[in-house]
Amino acid sequence: IIEVKNIHKTYIMGDVEVHALRGVSLEIEQGEFVAIMGASGSGKSTFMNILGCLDVPSKGEYFLDGVEVGKLNKDELAGIRNQKIGFVFQGFNLLSRTSALENVELPMFYNNVTNTYRQEKALEALRIVGLAERSHHMPNQLSGGQQQRVAIARSLVNNPSIILADEPTGNLDSRTSIEVMEIFQQLNEKGITIILVTHENDIAEYATRNVIFKDGKIQKDFSVGKR
Amino acid sequence: IIEVKNIHKTYIMGDVEVHALRGVSLEIEQGEFVAIMGASGSGKSTFMNILGCLDVPSKGEYFLDGVEVGKLNKDELAGIRNQKIGFVFQGFNLLSRTSALENVELPMFYNNVTNTYRQEKALEALRIVGLAERSHHMPNQLSGGQQQRVAIARSLVNNPSIILADEPTGNLDSRTSIEVMEIFQQLNEKGITIILVTHENDIAEYATRNVIFKDGKIQKDFSVGKR
Ligand SMILES: Nc1ncnc2c1ncn2[C@@H]1O[C@H](COP(=O)(O)OP(=O)(O)OP(=O)(O)O)[C@@H](O)[C@H]1O
Ligand SMILES: Nc1ncnc2c1ncn2[C@@H]1O[C@H](COP(=O)(O)OP(=O)(O)OP(=O)(O)O)[C@@H](O)[C@H]1O
Ligand SMILES: [Mg+2]
Ligand SMILES: [Mg+2]
């Protein structure tokens, strides 16, 4: 389902080049549960942004369901992002002037769904992450972990086949983290591919495969026994 | 050094009241190393904002070095925040249009220091957190963990006597987390009071005291053997 071939990403800042990704190749099958780990700055979020069709590599190819993403036009890319992929950003990326409910509804505005369906679907997603009572709060009226859970809820509403979650439990206490990981586990049991970045071993144990990044490359890539 | 008496914080949203803190009392001596834990939404950041003189309680008193904070005027509060307290925000709160270096220099603009001193002090703080090579990057040109470390560096530059750190390792891999905790440990050995919010037990183990929040109150408050 995901095939990445020799991906490079270089940021050019004046006369300095930052090589965030230096030749990353990997294949992920539908239904896998992959945990990506590695040092701060090793390229994990950069890689996730490319997988999520939010950024393009400087070099190399990315095939999603057999389609080469680099050859798609803007509308086709937007369509894929919206329908196939649910993304939980490391920094949440919530809109500050809209409520939790409206933030979760947002991905559904691109689809042909009724207002009723959209609101009920969003409320259901908030309920799943334990935030039904905070639906009218603005992001700055939510705790850090609540903002994170709104971002998680938002990633679920279009029934994506792939969920990309970048440090989804970074601001969550142990019990709430377990609740979130059980959500991902249930989705994975239904066949949804889960790729998540984490720095916590307890969280990585929910995955069946670990990929370790180091200095913009994959250092290790191995299967792990299921929890 | 810190004395909090029956602190309440209530947010009023139309006809709904959110009781974020419901009677919190505690005393912290100079030089202590306290880890605050508790479920998402239990009031930890709200409490930290009051300790950091960034917010006022709805009820109750807060004494910092014997001075009742609620009775200070704006300038006196700003002075305390600037000179006594280093704050690491859960969401980093970096200025997006200024570089890492400038973000770290920012707290020093209120003091009478030379430009040279300010820049060298900021560079030293960035070096301590391993980011000397990223000093000219804007926050959106930094990884999540790098942004977090810029926020940590910024909290150090005014040589505060108290550091309040809200989830300072939430986006950091294990090795970088250990480096950051060793920085806090060294500062604590010099007599600086460290109060940090964390959801990770490994991180809480660096502290000599754990305070557990639940539903806006302190559920447990106990000493722990030093690591
Ligand atoms: N400005 C606000 N208006 C209304 N409610 C608020 C506001 N800020 C925080 N809250 C609510 O107060 C409660 C406590 O929030 P707080 O940020 O202190 O929690 P926390 O313990 O830091 O959580 P986390 O571990 O998720 O960061 C939460 O339920 C939150 O929704
Ligand atoms: N827009 C940009 N311009 C320049 N450099 C960048 C930019 N974005 C990221 N970088 C650099 O690329 C490297 C990889 O960043 P990335 O965000 O992928 O790391 P990461 O593995 O997600 O780290 P973390 O665990 O801290 O979130 C970092 O060294 C970072 O400074
Ligand atoms: Mg990252
Ligand atoms: Mg918080």
Side-chain angles (χ1 to χ4, degrees), chain A residues 39-46 90 166-167 197, chain B residues 142-146 171:
Chain A
S40 176
S42 56
K44 307 178 296 296
S45 295
T46 302
Q90 187 170 12
D166 199 344
E167 289 287 357
V197 173
Chain B
L142 294 171
S143 77
Q146 289 167 344
N171 285 283

Side-chain angles (χ1 to χ4, degrees), chain A residues 131 134 137-149 171-173 176, chain B residues 9-13 17-21 36-49 55 90 166-167 197-199 213 216:
Chain A
L131 287 179
R134 291 282 183 271
H137 284 232
M138 297 295 131
N140 68 351
Q141 295 171 325
L142 294 171
S143 77
Q146 290 169 344
Q147 291 173 28
Q148 189 153 38
R149 283 182 276 158
N171 285 283
L172 301 179
D173 58 286
T176 315
Chain B
K9 181 72 185 182
T10 301
Y11 295 105
I12 299 173
M13 308 176 61
E17 291 189 344
V18 176
H19 300 282
L21 296 175
I36 295 178
M37 304 182 83
S40 176
S42 56
K44 308 179 294 297
S45 296
T46 302
F47 181 65
M48 293 286 271
N49 288 339
D55 196 6
Q90 187 169 11
D166 199 342
E167 290 285 359
V197 174
T198 184
H199 68 268
F213 272 71

Side-chain angles (χ1 to χ4, degrees), chain B residues 106-137:
Chain B
L106 197 62
M108 290 183 276
F109 275 97
Y110 301 103
N111 310 336
N112 289 333
V113 298
T114 63
N115 287 344
T116 313
Y117 173 88
R118 199 174 55 233
Q119 197 174 72
E120 290 184 358
K121 187 77 177 167
L123 265 172
E124 181 202 357
L126 283 170
R127 209 172 290 132
I128 288 172
V129 298
L131 287 178
E133 296 173 14
R134 290 283 182 272
S135 58
H136 298 301
H137 284 232

Side-chain angles (χ1 to χ4, degrees), chain B residues 24-165:
Chain B
V24 172
S25 302
L26 112 100
E27 285 178 40
I28 297 175
E29 308 286 320
Q30 181 70 48
E32 285 202 59
F33 196 144
V34 185
I36 295 178
M37 304 182 83
S40 176
S42 56
K44 308 179 294 297
S45 296
T46 302
F47 181 65
M48 293 286 271
N49 288 339
I50 288 170
L51 289 189
C53 304
L54 295 158
D55 196 6
V56 284
S58 315
K59 219 162 80 178
E61 294 90 40
Y62 169 30
F63 293 86
L64 177 60
D65 285 337
V67 175
E68 188 177 348
V69 171
K71 299 218 161 14
L72 299 175
N73 65 42
K74 277 198 166 189
D75 289 337
E76 290 166 320
L77 275 174
I80 287 184
R81 274 202 303 269
N82 195 261
Q83 291 159 26
K84 285 196 177 181
I85 299 171
F87 206 113
V88 186
F89 293 89
Q90 187 169 11
F92 318 152
N93 287 13
L94 301 179
L95 297 183
S96 52
R97 290 180 207 173
T98 61
S99 69
L101 184 71
E102 290 161 336
N103 265 286
V104 176
E105 286 181 312
L106 197 62
M108 290 183 276
F109 275 97
Y110 301 103
N111 310 336
N112 289 333
V113 298
T114 63
N115 287 344
T116 313
Y117 173 88
R118 199 174 55 233
Q119 197 174 72
E120 290 184 358
K121 187 77 177 167
L123 265 172
E124 181 202 357
L126 283 170
R127 209 172 290 132
I128 288 172
V129 298
L131 287 178
E133 296 173 14
R134 290 283 182 272
S135 58
H136 298 301
H137 284 232
M138 297 295 131
N140 69 350
Q141 295 171 326
L142 294 171
S143 77
Q146 289 167 344
Q147 292 173 27
Q148 188 152 41
R149 282 182 277 158
V150 172
I152 292 166
R154 183 181 59 187
S155 75
L156 306 178
V157 294
N158 278 339
N159 300 322
S161 52
I162 303 167
I163 292 180
L164 300 170

